[in-house]
Amino acid sequence: MLDISARRMCSTAVLLCILLAAQQCSAKLFRPFQSVQAGRGLSSSSSSRREQVLHSMWAAPLGLHSADADHILRSGFKYELQGRNWRLLTKKLATPGSKITVVAFGGSVTVGHYATSENSSWPEEAVAWMQAAFPEVEFTLMNLGHGATTAAIASLCYYQDMPPNPDLVMVEYSINGCGALQCMRPSQPEVAGYENLLRNIMLRAPEAALISLGVFNWRTDVYKGVEIPNAYFSTGEDQHAIIAKRYGVPYVSVRDALFDVLYNDTLAKQKLGFTREEMLKGDPIHPKLIGAQMYGGGFVAWGVRHMVTLSLLHNQHHYSHPLLQHSRVVRRRQLLSRSPPSFAGSEVSEDLTPPPLPSFVSPIAAKQLDRDNICYAGMALKHRPVSSNGWEWVDEGRSDCRVPGCHKYGWTTKTVGASLDFELDTSQVLSQEDRQAGYKVALVIVFLRSHMNNPEREQGPQRGMGVALVSCISGCKCEPLKIDAVNTDRSSELDSLRTQVSSHAKCMIRIKILDESSSFGGHKFRLNGIALSAYTDDVPSGLPARLLFNHLLAVEKFVEDVPEPED
């Protein structure tokens, strides 16, 4: 009996030792909110501070209030990724007294400020949510959206208007330039423009986090008496999302979340609390205030909340946190598997240095060198001409709007033979090393391309678009560029065309209106900008890229060979 009792006491002692060791291990293994390395990490945020930030952020109401709001907003989040500079942004958001600068790029949906949106916009609604979510942080918004513009134009000029060192950049541009299937392949210029815009933002603001929003044209067509929703693929977001993912930019899509909802009024009323007609201001693109709140304070805010939550709870053992359980991202653990968690000690090493830019996705974007462009657009264009004959300076934008992007400044004319001369220094674009490498300079003309679908109202001598010839008249040499400003798609937006130009300190170019017209006698032309950019034709391409170009050339030849229909 004594021997048995001794053995039991020994076993009990061993068990107690095991339990004690397990308790100490568990205390280290499951300690929440470990700090990261001092300096650039989140080490300044204690466990209690992180909890405070998380609960404040999750307590801020989102811009969609229905019972299905969380499911709908989550379904618009395209993919999981670490996110470029999101941990750096999170550190600032978790620090009381931080000042956060937010910048927004996009078209007229981003500009907003229609009467039906009560002088607001989705960027303002997104920042309003951020202010509620992080009340101890001061936010400043710079809305660099411009109506009727594309990502290609923004990549040439508007990115240069960013303030120094922004913290968060929000990018839209999924509709403009993509409404007539111009964004279906990575080789198309508007897809390349989106990639060039992201790269130029990152080069100019290397520590900024980015998030992209894909909006949608909620139009319908009637076929044989049946109302048909807009094609699911009639957007730039599918190609844009590939690029965004490559560059570490989270993407939120209203199409992915709402396509099956907004085209069904009964379902929309049930899941959103409003119908498509009640959300839009009278056209299929621009939202009323309730739509702007859903886009910015809903989809974008959900994406920001998700990325910040993952940044704060960045180790696998944090996935048991109730906030993550509530948002159901527990199913997405593969996000953080790239960075194995460390359980030794109280600190987790984390380098928040901005990552280098990846290689290009679009073979067309790859032709554009990672250099700053020289651009004269908006008011910067007003005093550039050295000679004007028959042109006038105008603002054809909206007078009921206080956002800079509502203005549409430019030089315009309707007169055949009217000429406009500019002197440009094309020698400043390339360095000596660039010239030795064989790089070239592009002269880029930014102009209004407008529609011709309704000749009785929109075309003809008074309103029809004309044809201009761009040529180099002294100092430099360039291949003349002929521009027909008619848009065969029913839209009016800025476009750009380019020609190679030689380097010269005093390059004189002329823009002259020709006695030609494809718009029933109209000759209107509006010049909105001139840019100089560095590029190369020597881009190495693998077999897929070569096949893509061969396919594109074959399609263009097929279109050219299709006979015109007989009357």
Side-chain angles (χ1 to χ4, degrees), residues 436-447:
Q436 292 174 352
Y439 298 153
K440 303 173 183 179
V441 180
L443 169 64
V444 188
I445 304 299
V446 180
F447 63 98

Side-chain angles (χ1 to χ4, degrees), residues 378-379 381 393-396 404 407-411 526-528:
M379 292 300 294
L381 184 68
W393 179 257
V394 296
D395 177 8
E396 296 184 339
H407 298 288
K408 297 179 181 179
Y409 295 116
W411 287 95
R526 193 178 82 203
L527 175 71
N528 287 82

Side-chain angles (χ1 to χ4, degrees), residues 183-254:
C183 300
M184 305 301 290
R185 301 181 301 273
S187 60
Q188 291 179 293
E190 291 303 336
V191 177
Y194 189 87
E195 182 170 8
N196 289 135
L197 174 60
L198 293 189
R199 291 183 75 91
N200 286 342
I201 290 171
M202 292 174 183
L203 288 168
R204 202 168 186 87
E207 294 191 342
L210 288 85
I211 187 169
S212 285
L213 168 68
V215 298
F216 193 67
N217 185 340
W218 300 104
R219 60 175 286 181
T220 59
D221 296 305
V222 177
Y223 179 72
K224 294 184 178 181
V226 179
E227 190 175 48
I228 306 297
N230 190 15
Y232 190 82
F233 56 79
S234 184
T235 170
E237 78 170 61
D238 295 311
Q239 290 295 323
H240 293 171
I242 294 173
I243 294 169
K245 185 175 182 180
R246 173 73 172 140
Y247 285 82
V249 179
Y251 201 109
V252 289
S253 165
V254 301

Side-chain angles (χ1 to χ4, degrees), residues 34 55 76 91 100 112 120 141 144 150 180 203 219 250 256 343 363 395 446 490 537 557:
Q34 296 176 344
H55 284 285
K91 179 192 173 185
I100 300 294
S120 188
L141 170 66
L144 293 181
T150 66
L203 288 168
R219 60 175 286 181
D256 287 2
F343 303 115
D395 177 8
V446 180
R490 187 172 172 75
D537 286 324
K557 186 177 187 306

